[in-house]
Amino acid sequence: MVRVVGHLDLDYFYAQVEEVLDPSLKVKPVLVCVFSGRTEDSGVVATANYLARNLGVKSGIPIATAKRKLQGIDAAIIRMRHEKYEAVSERVMSLVEENVDVLEQTGIDEAFFDLTGSSGGDFGGARATAIRIKESVLKSEGLTCSVGLGQSKAVAKIASDYQKPNGLTVVAPESTISFLGPLPVTRLYGVGPKAAEAMELMGVKTVGELSKRSAQDLEARFGRKLAAYFAAAAIGADTEPVAPRGEPTQLSRIVTLKQNTTNPEVAFEQLSGAIEDVHRRLVSRGASFRVISAMAILSDLTVKTKSKTFETPVSDLATMRDATKRLLTELSGTAGKEFRRVGVRVSDFGSSENQSSLSQYLG
Ligand code: TTP
Ligand code: CA
């Protein structure tokens, strides 16, 4: 049976999250930066929105270079806030997961998914699912993403990159060869600069040219295994399955308090949404935990943790809230310093037996 594989990649991810958090940024070049702290401008641009990209700013360039390019322009230069992007990423991934057969997250803002079963191999039906996924990510998080569909992971990944931002590229099996043919070989996963150079020496620049080379030709240059992979990838026939990553063994969230405090009630209030978030992720995995921990990062940046272990696995929100409140109170009694950030973590998961039947009914 023909496979239906998708790849989703959130557009200019860190910068787009910043735009969602502050919509007034949308009209400006936005740079999300990692400051090294050595001098005021030391560091690199992690990513930039499309307004900034059009002015020559891109991931990886020094902040000072970016500032030069944007001289005289009203641009937003923002310090990277990884925990914000992480939280958005987790919500997007669980949303996508609800709409697909299997999800394999491969980065903070990208994932492969499989729709073979639910679409019955019909790319028209799969396209409708992809549209639905894009709409729900936009509706619930305000984010655009680019999605590709194809008969294999390699094709889906190239397809999601084909039209950006906010793209949807569907490569049905019968158009795979004509879609891949004109692309440079470097677009194939696993063809780095070295392999591309070796291919160029053989007179191979495009995927179409690669697909026409004999097995012997490729084997002489790349060895048997790699040659077989390149030959398959060039016609979109790579067979790697979409495989879910190992389940996490813990779930956690941490928040920065509006103001440092010694008051556990105040800290708990501000952690409340994060506890609900952890609970929601726990439930969506059908998991339950035996250990819950409260973490506090103090005003002098030392980290303190207190944990409670339950005899039997639990998963209800009230218990989580109650335990976290108590643990924060204990922490505040022994910390000796103000809380700056606080967090909650659940771990030591027991699998909940009705998990598969639940997802069957919901699916
Ligand atoms: P990408 O998906 O490569 O880039 P992007 O989401 O910013 O843009 P695109 O619209 O082209 O998909 O990377 C995802 C995130 O990873 C990105 O938002 C920031 C981070 N990142 C870095 O921190 N440093 C880097 O050099 C790159 C490439 C990405
Ligand atoms: Ca991206």
Side-chain angles (χ1 to χ4, degrees):
M1 160 127 139
V2 60
R3 288 197 295 155
V4 184
V5 177
H7 184 257
L8 177 143
D9 187 336
L10 291 155
D11 300 321
Y12 63 103
F13 181 51
Y14 296 179
Q16 206 187 172
V17 173
E18 295 293 348
E19 287 182 357
V20 170
L21 294 172
D22 177 1
S24 75
L25 296 176
K26 281 184 197 257
V27 296
K28 307 179 185 181
V30 176
L31 281 59
V32 175
C33 299
V34 182
F35 289 92
S36 69
R38 195 158 296 170
T39 69
E40 198 191 328
D41 278 351
S42 298
V44 293
V45 174
T47 195
N49 69 356
Y50 278 77
L51 283 176
R53 289 183 196 193
N54 291 339
L55 296 165
V57 175
K58 55 183 182 179
S59 302
I61 71 170
I63 296 167
T65 311
K67 280 191 169 173
R68 263 199 308 279
K69 286 177 190 282
L70 297 172
Q71 224 155 37
I73 295 170
D74 178 24
I77 297 179
I78 296 170
R79 185 178 294 272
M80 178 168 88
R81 301 192 284 174
H82 203 265
E83 68 285 354
K84 299 257 182 220
Y85 318 140
E86 198 74 60
V88 174
S89 164
E90 277 173 16
R91 292 199 301 268
V92 169
M93 292 300 163
S94 14
L95 209 159
V96 178
E97 198 168 21
E98 285 165 20
N99 287 280
V100 301
D101 303 351
V102 186
L103 184 87
E104 177 184 352
Q105 187 176 347
T106 50
I108 189 165
D109 77 332
E110 58 178 277
F112 287 104
F113 56 85
D114 190 295
L115 294 175
T116 308
S118 54
S119 69
D122 168 25
F123 272 72
R127 174 195 286 274
T129 305
I131 292 172
R132 197 169 69 232
I133 291 171
K134 280 169 63 74
E135 283 172 354
S136 47
V137 172
L138 184 62
K139 189 159 168 246
S140 60
E141 298 295 334
L143 294 170
T144 64
C145 60
S146 297
V147 175
L149 296 180
Q151 65 183 12
S152 70
K153 282 168 108 170
V155 177
K157 170 112 171 118
I158 295 169
S160 74
D161 202 42
Y162 195 68
Q163 288 173 282
K164 268 185 164 198
N166 201 12
L168 172 60
T169 303
V170 179
V171 183
E174 59 276 16
S175 32
T176 303
I177 304 276
S178 60
F179 172 73
L180 294 177
L183 301 175
V185 286
T186 46
R187 295 295 281 277
L188 293 178
Y189 180 75
V191 180
K194 272 198 183 152
E197 206 180 314
M199 286 179 193
E200 191 163 352
L201 287 174
M202 300 168 70
V204 168
K205 281 189 176 165
T206 67
V207 176
E209 286 160 359
L210 179 64
S211 72
K212 294 202 181 77
R213 299 312 282 252
S214 69
Q216 290 98 309
D217 255 13
L218 294 175
E219 274 180 29
R221 187 75 65 158
F222 298 107
R224 215 171 152 160
K225 254 181 137 171
L226 212 48
Y229 167 73
F230 288 152
I235 55 168
D238 51 292
T239 55
E240 199 183 68
V242 177
R245 296 287 153 120
E247 287 294 310
T249 54
Q250 56 132 46
L251 290 169
S252 64
R253 272 289 303 275
I254 198 156
V255 300
T256 302
L257 299 171
K258 291 188 187 108
Q259 267 177 337
N260 290 0
T261 182
T262 52
N263 185 337
E265 299 270 337
V266 172
F268 176 76
E269 266 317 296
Q270 293 180 43
L271 187 59
S272 195
I275 299 171
E276 281 167 24
D277 194 42
V278 169
H279 176 255
R280 197 187 47 70
R281 283 151 58 203
L282 188 74
V283 170
S284 74
R285 288 184 168 82
S288 47
F289 64 87
R290 290 206 326 129
V291 177
I292 185 162
S293 316
M295 299 163 273
I297 296 162
L298 306 178
S299 50
D300 62 354
L301 299 184
T302 55
V303 182
K304 302 272 180 207
T305 310
K306 280 227 182 283
S307 303
K308 173 179 170 61
T309 302
F310 293 90
E311 298 214 334
T312 53
V314 288
S315 61
D316 69 288
L317 181 60
T319 307
M320 279 177 70
R321 288 173 57 88
D322 197 46
T324 309
K325 201 175 205 168
R326 277 166 206 256
L327 291 167
L328 282 175
T329 308
E330 286 176 32
L331 275 175
S332 77
T334 57
K337 290 259 169 12
E338 286 181 321
F339 293 158
R340 179 184 155 92
R341 308 178 70 204
V342 289
V344 59
R345 177 175 62 221
V346 295
S347 55
D348 194 355
F349 291 168
S351 62
S352 139
E353 278 137 56
N354 55 8
Q355 179 182 7
S356 59
S357 58
L358 186 66
S359 56
Q360 271 159 20
Y361 283 117
L362 293 176

